[in-house]
Amino acid sequence: MSRTRALTLIVLSLLGIFAAYHYNRSTMATTPKLIPTSALAKNGAIVVGSGLAGLSAASQLIAANIPVRLLERNAKPGGNSIKASSGINGAPTPFQPGPPDTEFYADTVKSTGHAMSTAREHREKLIGTLTNSSASAVTWLTTTHGIDLSKVAQLGGHSRARTHRGAGGTPPGFAIVSTLLKSLKASPLFELKTSCTVNRLLLSGASITGVEYTCSSPEAESTTSELHGPVIVTTGGFAGDDTGLLATHRPDLANFPSTNDPAPGSTHLLTSVGAQLLDMSSVQVHPTGFVDPATPLSPLKFLAAEVLRGEGGILLHDGERFFNELDTREKVTAAILKNDPVEEKPKQWDVLLVLDEGVYEAAKSHIDFYIFKGLVRKTTIGDLGDKALATISEYADVVAGKHEDKLGRTAFADWELLEPKADSIVYVGRVTPVVHFTMGGVVISEKAEVLDAQGVPIEGVWAAGEVTGGVHGGNRLGGSSLLECVVFGRNAGERVVEYIKNEGK
Ligand code: FAD
Ligand code: SIN
């Protein structure tokens, strides 16, 4: 070997060692290695959380032939989404009676309330995306996935009937979640791992490159592993995190019962990589959780679905109606809380939900289920006392058009009892306000990008569903959570398809 060639080889190997040293230094602090682009396409995407937001994102990816690994903390998939009982909003859709519904955006802005005075432009974009995509979200579920959503009801704060559910007996959350899950499981590109909790997102430089997660099993030791790829975080809210996020942001709600099973919130996954939080103190207290006569002091309540009021049901306190039952949840709850609670632990009020035979027929499958669970009983008005008979007679006159409602209610749907008597049949259950939903969460763009303190998308990560904040402000309209899951979940899925197809650029 000539002197010059030997010298060249020495210089080249020194350069190699130097480059390797620097490469290792720059990646050492931020494990793991950046994902080679070919692996991006091969490994596909990671979705964290198997509620409707996660399933919508995963469906979008699978439809584009991108592999999906979905990690779920619980033993069973579906999150809170599977419990949804009133339905999903959409406007305008062919299932809505009357002229095209153009008021959904305005109703949502109104329901958002004072929150609109901060970050207005940002909120308008999110609300615009939510409401403008609502008709196509319903079409995606009905036409692409064959889910029956043909029945509509008007819930509180809505100026039109636009909350869709099926005409049969299957509750909407279960119908939607089980159909999407079945379709995903039919794909060889889809892998669902349950009982696996994501502990942290992996960062390489400024990009998210995967997750670290721990799987538990009753038979074996728990194992901690990593997955690499772009990540969609759809971990739901923190209404069940009463010793953590809820205690931090709304300590005043500590003793309220909840419709959510106890579970820690997961916003830390995103805030630890630079995500910002919005509206964290906006927690929705739903006015009607059932007080089960068998376990009246249980902190976990079955929801008395808003659709029961939407189909014509009324609320009585001490035998009298006290508020427009179809105003927003925030306002109906505030009207109940003006009275003293009758129990302190949990804090509970004594309110009666009253339904007639017309409401029963319209929401038969719901009400039969509540009767079966002992939450609703069939009785007569006489059983509720003289004051209740007078109140129901006055409501019947309003429904019959004899005079306007002094509480301002204008929609009565299927209430048909126009001449109430002491022996008229009614269906009744005791209800009380319950912590139900968290409007706050991480700040996202309308494309479901997770934004940092400068409003810049954090590379490699997207988020959708209840883990995000800003879409609902101070009060979420009933039916808009399932909608946000579909709209922003699909948006996240679409962006990740692009990201992978553009090889991470
Ligand atoms: P979820 O469905 O809650 O799913 C999140 C999932 O992420 C969970 O399965 C959770 O276990 C998992 N997870 C969390 N952290 C981790 C982690 N670190 N690692 C791995 N997995 C994790 N909304 C409507 O619009 N219409 C309705 O009719 C309606 N009815 C409702 C009835 C009830 C009883 C309740 C409780 C809520 C209802 N809602 C309704 C609200 C709505 O169902 C939820 O807010 C919405 O479905 C949230 O969906 P999501 O996908 O964001 O979260
Ligand atoms: C309900 O059925 O009252 C819940 C609907 C919702 O939370 O959107």
Side-chain angles (χ1 to χ4, degrees):
M1 189 187 297
S2 74
R3 244 175 88 89
T4 329
R5 194 165 143 68
L7 221 94
T8 312
L9 277 177
I10 290 166
V11 169
L12 280 178
S13 44
L14 278 175
L15 276 175
I17 292 166
F18 182 75
Y21 171 75
H22 273 272
Y23 175 78
N24 285 339
R25 251 179 76 86
S26 63
T27 54
M28 237 170 354
T30 53
T31 51
K33 296 169 261 343
L34 273 169
I35 314 161
T37 47
S38 54
L40 250 187
K42 187 168 143 283
N43 292 340
I46 301 157
V47 178
V48 188
S50 67
L52 182 55
L55 298 178
S56 301
S59 302
Q60 213 60 35
L61 286 149
I62 292 293
N65 291 319
I66 304 286
V68 173
R69 282 124 344 133
L70 199 163
L71 298 169
E72 167 54 51
R73 177 173 65 190
N74 288 342
K76 286 192 180 156
N80 270 342
S81 305
I82 206 164
K83 298 190 196 174
S85 43
S86 283
I88 178 166
N89 296 334
T93 74
F95 308 110
Q96 294 179 280
D101 175 4
T102 55
E103 296 305 309
F104 189 19
Y105 176 84
D107 286 350
T108 305
V109 169
K110 192 171 165 206
S111 162
T112 302
H114 294 307
M116 241 24 220
S117 59
T118 61
R120 187 174 184 101
E121 209 181 310
H122 178 70
R123 292 180 197 275
E124 282 174 348
K125 278 191 199 154
L126 294 177
I127 297 172
T129 303
L130 180 84
T131 55
N132 293 337
S133 314
S134 67
S136 59
V138 169
T139 305
W140 183 67
L141 293 170
T142 53
T143 308
T144 310
H145 290 284
I147 300 165
D148 174 19
L149 293 173
S150 57
K151 210 163 173 186
V152 283
Q154 181 171 343
L155 303 190
H158 292 274
S159 59
R160 292 280 300 272
R162 59 170 78 100
T163 307
H164 296 64
R165 67 185 196 277
T170 315
F174 184 81
I176 296 170
V177 165
S178 57
T179 306
L180 293 187
L181 206 49
K182 189 169 167 212
S183 142
L184 286 167
K185 282 180 176 171
S187 167
L189 296 175
F190 179 71
E191 186 187 2
L192 169 66
K193 285 172 183 263
T194 52
S195 302
C196 293
T197 302
V198 169
N199 312 315
R200 66 186 180 99
L201 303 184
L202 303 175
L203 196 62
S204 181
S207 301
I208 301 303
T209 56
V211 298
E212 179 204 89
Y213 67 102
T214 302
C215 296
S216 57
S217 125
E219 294 93 39
E221 294 250 309
S222 57
T223 52
T224 296
S225 325
E226 290 183 358
L227 278 179
H228 296 212
V231 183
I232 302 178
V233 177
T234 53
T235 46
F238 59 91
D241 193 2
D242 58 344
T243 54
L245 286 172
L246 198 59
T248 305
H249 295 282
R250 286 299 300 272
D252 57 310
L253 296 177
N255 288 321
F256 275 70
S258 178
T259 56
N260 285 220
D261 290 293
S266 288
T267 47
H268 64 279
L269 295 176
L270 291 159
T271 50
S272 64
V273 296
Q276 303 299 297
L277 295 173
L278 184 63
D279 296 338
M280 290 299 274
S281 62
S282 295
V283 173
Q284 182 157 76
V285 181
H286 192 295
T288 62
F290 280 118
V291 178
D292 185 341
T295 54
L297 299 184
S298 167
L300 185 63
K301 303 287 188 216
F302 251 101
L303 186 72
E306 193 167 327
V307 73
L308 302 176
R309 282 174 283 138
E311 294 292 12
I314 55 174
L315 298 176
L316 304 187
H317 178 256
D318 196 18
E320 293 184 15
R321 287 181 64 227
F322 53 92
F323 208 72
N324 172 1
E325 294 85 355
L326 287 191
D327 210 321
T328 59
R329 290 174 183 179
E330 190 184 19
K331 291 186 181 161
V332 179
T333 297
I336 297 173
L337 301 194
K338 274 188 190 152
N339 302 295
D340 288 332
V342 290
E343 282 118 10
E344 282 296 335
K345 212 162 169 28
K347 256 191 198 319
Q348 296 189 154
W349 282 257
D350 207 357
V351 177
L352 218 51
L353 174 68
V354 181
L355 318 166
D356 77 339
E357 294 275 29
V359 180
Y360 172 74
E361 284 305 325
K364 191 172 182 317
S365 54
H366 284 75
I367 300 167
D368 281 343
F369 175 73
Y370 300 138
I371 292 174
F372 166 74
K373 296 294 275 179
L375 303 167
V376 165
R377 65 198 165 90
K378 184 176 179 180
T379 184
T380 58
I381 296 181
D383 185 38
L384 310 181
D386 291 345
K387 238 199 237 176
L389 177 57
T391 301
I392 295 170
S393 299
E394 195 187 334
Y395 179 66
D397 286 350
V398 172
V399 178
K402 292 186 186 164
H403 56 83
E404 290 199 345
D405 182 24
K406 62 177 193 279
L407 299 174
R409 182 164 176 169
T410 52
F412 314 100
D414 291 284
W415 183 279
E416 63 180 26
L417 181 60
L418 300 184
E419 291 184 9
K421 299 190 178 57
D423 61 357
S424 303
I425 297 290
V426 279
Y427 299 80
V428 297
R430 182 184 161 196
V431 292
T432 191
V434 270
V435 170
H436 177 61
F437 180 88
T438 48
M439 272 77 72
V442 297
V443 179
I444 55 162
S445 71
E446 62 274 27
K447 296 174 187 167
E449 297 152 320
V450 178
L451 304 181
D452 69 11
Q454 283 70 46
V456 175
I458 302 172
E459 196 186 323
V461 67
W462 290 260
E466 199 175 341
V467 72
T468 70
V471 182
H472 312 289
N475 180 74
R476 174 176 67 82
L477 289 173
S480 278
S481 176
L482 292 185
L483 175 63
E484 99 174 295
C485 291
V486 174
V487 169
F488 292 98
R490 292 185 69 205
N491 277 358
E494 273 169 21
R495 298 305 144 190
V496 176
V497 169
E498 273 172 27
Y499 183 78
I500 289 177
K501 289 199 167 154
N502 293 332
E503 304 207 314
K505 282 169 218 128

